[in-house]
Amino acid sequence: MPIPIQTQLFSTFLGTEQGLHSIAMPDAFSSGGSKNLWIDKYGRAKQISGYTKQNTTAITTDTGATATRIRALIPYRSTAGGTLTRQILIIADDAVNEWEIWKSTDLGITNTFVFDAGAGSINTIPDAAQFGDNLYLTNGVLAPRKWDGTTLTTAGRTQSPTPTGVSAGVTGNLSGAYKWKLISLFTDGTRKAGSAKSANLALQDGQATVPWTADTDVTVGGYELYRTSGSGTVFYLVDYIDLRVTATYTDNIPDLTILENRVMEEHGDAPPSGAYFVEPHKQRLFWARTDANPTRVYWSDPGLAEDVLSDNFLDFSDSETIGDQITGMLGNFEGRLIIFTERAIWSLSGSGAVIGNSVDWNRIHTNAQIGPVSHRATIRLPAGVKYLDANGKVERTGGATIAFLSSLADIRIFDSETDTILSNPLKDLIATMVYQYRAKSY
């Protein structure tokens, strides 16, 4: 007896294999704990559970008790003292006059108010990166913030006294344009954050008098004085100054001598205020884009996330991308930092080591034709992932790649050198994206 064949028509698509069908459900994206379906590589329908509601009542703003939307859920983890602590930071925005940070220690069941940035931050999309037991947050408006699991503070360390009123002395060994920085040394040998840099001083066969105000911390035992060469921006050790109460130094050390000395690694300057993005890479934090400098990326000192010399930046633009802006970063991708802009994708390799007056960074404008709308609209893909190219042919990634939503309203795969457009049906699916709201894509 022949086995009857049962036929069912599938009319909509919910999976990644667009050549396969899927099952349409009326509440496929409902808010009631929906059960979505996914078609696996064998054509079998797999169930994906919906979410479970955590909090019994909706979050309202602390300041005005108004309804709010959630801009981001940011995980935080700490292992201080051998104890594992997990939290979620919730960014709540009422789009009127409150942009608040809340914390939860029980996956959102209960929430505690932390901070309100006010009307100036509404409608901004936050970014965050964890470095050690500290979490750093940016939103393009505020000075970057640091969360240690208990307290939210402005990122930046207490700096050493700043050399001020630097003046030219008698005939000497210095010729060029110079700047100085000071580091207070504690009696146990540890270093304080470096000072702000002095004003620039131009000299011609002279020497300089470098004064400062003595550090008020009585545990300071002396100072290290650092200086640039006459034609560089890297700070090298000039000399050690004994005793905390000492407050001046006469600098007549030739450039060739200091170039053999220690390079300053505790610059002490805070991250750029109003930074949009922060990303960990090679034991540093990279801070990117401000309204004044939308294509600049600043790097921190190694192991010191909050120490960022204001002169330590790279600009990711060229004649082909004038008027561009950074849309995000992705660290530790094939050993490189990937910088996304709207019109390009850049990569940064190197170690950041100082060689003479140069820093070991190699900036490359890749062959990608376009960049993503936001770093939140990118995802890493492992080797071996299958996809359909623009001609409908099944391809497989040969190595680690990045899939992203581009500013041309299509999805592409970036292999660290070039980009490939995914199949046209998928492009048609997302062509209705409103360009004005592209940065809100996820």
Side-chain angles (χ1 to χ4, degrees), residues 288-322:
R289 182 179 162 188
T290 62
D291 288 337
N293 299 292
T295 54
R296 283 186 183 179
V297 173
Y298 300 78
W299 66 88
S300 78
D301 292 326
L304 298 172
E306 300 170 68
D307 285 23
V308 184
L309 178 63
S310 57
D311 292 331
N312 280 353
F313 66 84
L314 291 168
D315 189 85
F316 291 88
S317 65
D318 54 22
S319 60
E320 298 178 4
T321 57
I322 294 175

Side-chain angles (χ1 to χ4, degrees), residues 173-180 203 206 227-232 234 236-238 251-261 357:
N173 298 315
L174 305 185
S175 294
Y178 297 92
K179 293 184 287 289
W180 287 262
L203 295 171
R227 189 192 80 215
T228 64
S229 67
S231 58
V234 177
Y236 291 92
L237 176 66
V238 174
D251 188 356
N252 192 34
I253 308 297
D255 285 357
L256 289 178
T257 299
I258 70 168
L259 289 175
E260 299 177 355
N261 294 344
N357 273 319

Side-chain angles (χ1 to χ4, degrees), residues 292-368:
N293 299 292
T295 54
R296 283 186 183 179
V297 173
Y298 300 78
W299 66 88
S300 78
D301 292 326
L304 298 172
E306 300 170 68
D307 285 23
V308 184
L309 178 63
S310 57
D311 292 331
N312 280 353
F313 66 84
L314 291 168
D315 189 85
F316 291 88
S317 65
D318 54 22
S319 60
E320 298 178 4
T321 57
I322 294 175
D324 205 357
Q325 61 183 11
I326 292 173
T327 58
M329 298 179 289
L330 184 64
N332 299 312
F333 179 75
E334 301 290 280
R336 293 181 287 178
L337 175 70
I338 303 300
I339 296 91
F340 303 118
T341 70
E342 287 192 335
R343 303 180 190 177
I345 298 178
W346 302 73
S347 70
L348 182 69
S349 59
S351 64
V354 175
I355 305 172
N357 273 319
S358 300
V359 183
D360 177 31
W361 294 125
N362 186 24
R363 185 194 66 156
I364 300 173
H365 185 172
T366 71
N367 293 320

Side-chain angles (χ1 to χ4, degrees), residues 31 57 79 178 198 268 307 314 328 387:
S31 59
T57 58
T79 57
Y178 297 92
S198 71
D307 285 23
L314 291 168
Y387 64 94

Side-chain angles (χ1 to χ4, degrees), residues 8-25:
Q8 181 177 358
L9 179 64
F10 301 104
S11 60
T12 62
F13 163 74
L14 293 176
T16 54
E17 299 285 354
Q18 295 182 72
L20 299 174
H21 298 292
S22 60
I23 299 174
M25 298 181 66

Side-chain angles (χ1 to χ4, degrees), residues 62-101:
D62 179 79
T63 305
T66 56
T68 183
R69 62 206 69 185
I70 303 303
R71 291 292 183 198
L73 299 174
I74 302 170
Y76 169 79
R77 183 184 70 250
S78 170
T79 57
T83 301
L84 179 62
T85 300
R86 295 183 185 274
Q87 299 175 352
I88 292 177
L89 294 188
I90 303 167
I91 310 300
D93 179 2
D94 72 353
V96 178
N97 56 6
E98 275 108 43
W99 192 94
E100 298 180 348
I101 300 176

